[in-house]
Amino acid sequence: MAWVMERQAVTTHKASGIVNDANDWAIETMGNPRYPLELLQRVIIVSLETMSIVRGLPELDI
């Protein structure tokens, strides 16, 4: 889950000085300070659902 927060962090490229701010180009973040938390919650839900689906799959015969 750390990668979600890493992707939302404002960073500056050392060599070029270019600032990368997800809030500048992601429409769904504009005016929504809760977006990072909501994104993290969605990732958690998808991860839990994926685990449930994988557990329900039959064993592979290799």
Side-chain angles (χ1 to χ4, degrees):
M1 303 300 166
W3 63 268
V4 172
M5 300 315 290
E6 179 183 309
R7 296 292 180 244
Q8 292 299 307
V10 177
T11 58
T12 303
H13 187 262
K14 290 178 184 177
S16 67
I18 295 172
V19 176
N20 182 19
D21 184 352
N23 294 307
D24 287 342
W25 49 268
I27 295 170
E28 57 273 354
T29 65
M30 296 213 180
N32 184 3
R34 292 180 45 152
Y35 179 77
L37 175 60
E38 292 167 352
L39 176 61
L40 183 59
Q41 289 170 330
R42 288 194 300 261
V43 169
I44 291 169
I45 290 168
V46 169
S47 298
L48 292 172
E49 290 295 323
T50 300
M51 289 172 44
S52 176
I53 291 168
V54 169
R55 281 192 205 110
L57 293 173
E59 293 289 324
L60 292 176
D61 294 328
I62 299 176

